[in-house]
Amino acid sequence: QVQLVESGGGLVQAGGSLRLSCAASGSIFSINAMGWYRQAPGKERDLVARITSRGSTNYQDSVKGRFTIFRANAKNTVYLQMNSLKPEDTAVYYCNVDALVGSTWSNINIWGQGTQVTVSS
């Protein structure tokens, strides 16, 4: 059993910053990739940023230069530092983890419960 616990969402004014965190726990052998997605009302869930086990990252174009994803491997935790926030960044942000778990090293892909980020203008 693997669980993800997210934190760090909230309300912020445009131009402000927030840091999201997502900690994975359970029978984890290794984590392949960790990422953040977001879903605004009436829209699809989209990738915001993703980081692999080797530290390679990719970002949605709209957040490049403003958001930074990084991870603490020893803590099985991924962070999303969000700077220069805009009202259009308002969404529920979901953590996603791809990992090998259990005694059989089964590959799983799991989602966090989501955390609301609201940016006021």
Side-chain angles (χ1 to χ4, degrees):
Q1 189 80 6
V2 177
Q3 293 182 333
L4 302 181
V5 177
E6 301 173 359
S7 63
L11 173 65
V12 65
Q13 289 188 332
S17 298
L18 285 174
R19 177 179 291 186
L20 306 182
S21 66
C22 172
S25 63
S27 303
I28 299 171
F29 175 74
S30 67
I31 293 179
N32 300 321
M34 307 179 85
W36 289 96
Y37 290 70
R38 67 186 180 188
Q39 187 167 20
K43 295 188 177 181
E44 295 184 350
R45 188 176 298 187
D46 293 326
L47 174 68
V48 177
R50 186 172 181 269
I51 184 168
T52 70
S53 59
R54 296 186 177 184
S56 297
T57 58
N58 63 293
Y59 296 89
Q60 181 185 113
D61 285 346
S62 67
V63 307
K64 287 180 180 178
R66 300 188 297 121
F67 291 10
T68 302
I69 188 170
F70 58 101
R71 59 192 282 181
N73 289 333
K75 298 180 180 179
N76 287 336
T77 300
V78 64
Y79 304 90
L80 185 68
Q81 178 66 42
M82 304 185 293
N83 299 329
S84 302
L85 282 160
K86 304 176 180 180
E88 51 264 44
D89 294 319
T90 295
V92 178
Y93 284 68
Y94 295 91
C95 176
N96 178 264
V97 170
D98 188 88
L100 298 179
V101 301
S103 60
T104 58
W105 302 351
S106 300
N107 182 255
I108 66 167
N109 186 279
I110 58 174
W111 293 89
Q113 78 280 6
T115 185
Q116 177 70 46
V117 172
T118 302
V119 184
S120 63
S121 57

